[in-house]
Amino acid sequence: MRLPPHILVVNGIKVRRPVFLLGAPHSGTDLLARALKRSPGFHVTMGRASVAHVVYAFARKPSLAATSGAVRVMRDALSESWQVLPRSCGECAEPCREAGGVIGTGPCVSTGDVTRFGDGSPDLLYSVPVLLQAFPDARFVQLIRDGRDAVAGMLADPACLAWFKPAMLTGQTEFPNAFFGVSKDEHLDRWRDMPDAGKSALRWRSAVRVSAELRRTLPEEQLLTLRYEDLVLRPQQTVATLTEFLETRVSKVVLYDPGVPKPGAYTSRLGRDDVKLVEKVAREELKRLGYLKKR
């Protein structure tokens, strides 16, 4: 007999159709999370420690995600992250606090206003199988961005660069590994010797491959794929698409922030050698997605 789906209750609110934001590093999930945080009824978290610990454990050691306890661990992590307590925002990452306009320790929302939950933590992409089991009615929004712009963002982000340190490649990391972008065991030595721009390109390449697989396997009513370039250059049309998909009004105010990086910013942020390396490593995906002209 098929068991009924598990219903998570947070602060007395049933978690229905939670929204998870997916993408390679610096593909714009943080921007979309800020938009959702300003949308009526949404409580969106970004990078809470309880979720980050689980996400990176699964990313570095994918076999953990296949264990019998993985779903419960993920539910518990998100339940803790979504709790609305007097000092709950004090435990949030700075981007989340800033997005919520928090002064002090919070909270950034009132439980009486919350009808929908979401999470825009970095690298959720590698936990989708577990998220699907934990929340069968979940909605996923994934963003695709020019890999050269994404790499430019990674190279300026100490948190991304920290993953490239030798100390990160411990016995807790399994290879091949989609999170690091290493597709075969024999590529690991070559990966160690690559410049950070090359390692970042591998991470972007691997992420868009995972995203492509999700498009093939998830139904349209559960997964929406957006382009960062459309989000920034055509916010009104893109938000209209997102609003229809999520069946709730989405704020687009933050998308008009002049500080939001424009498409093609890599031309002034990456050196010529780094651009060539990114285009070499991720040429196939850049062409397939239309970011690099086919020759």
Side-chain angles (χ1 to χ4, degrees), residues 33-98:
R34 293 204 300 272
L36 286 183
K37 281 182 76 72
R38 294 185 178 220
S39 302
F42 263 104
H43 178 33
V44 178
T45 47
M46 305 161 59
R48 284 289 296 270
S50 61
V51 176
H53 290 159
V54 174
V55 167
Y56 289 121
F58 291 166
R60 295 176 70 181
K61 197 169 185 178
S63 63
L64 288 175
T67 60
S68 58
V71 172
R72 178 181 54 80
V73 169
M74 180 61 80
R75 283 199 197 109
D76 288 349
L78 285 163
S79 177
E80 180 181 341
S81 180
W82 288 331
Q83 286 285 335
V84 180
L85 302 171
R87 300 181 63 83
S88 55
C89 287
E91 300 177 9
C92 287
E94 187 56 35
C96 190
R97 289 167 51 81
E98 181 184 350

Side-chain angles (χ1 to χ4, degrees), residues 22-23 125 140-144 211-212 214-215 223-226:
L22 316 173
L125 182 66
F140 298 93
V141 181
Q142 61 181 10
L143 281 102
I144 304 296
S211 293
L214 289 179
R215 290 195 67 180
L223 173 70
L224 175 67
T225 302
L226 299 174

Side-chain angles (χ1 to χ4, degrees), residues 180-222:
F180 285 100
V182 181
S183 58
K184 295 181 181 178
D185 287 328
E186 59 266 28
H187 293 168
L188 187 54
D189 288 338
R190 189 173 67 180
W191 181 90
R192 287 192 176 99
D193 294 333
M194 290 185 79
D196 287 345
K199 293 175 182 176
S200 298
L202 284 173
R203 284 199 67 191
W204 178 84
R205 185 183 73 177
S206 180
V208 297
R209 288 177 177 176
V210 173
S211 293
E213 181 62 24
L214 289 179
R215 290 195 67 180
R216 285 191 291 268
T217 56
L218 287 182
E220 290 184 0
E221 63 270 18
Q222 201 159 14

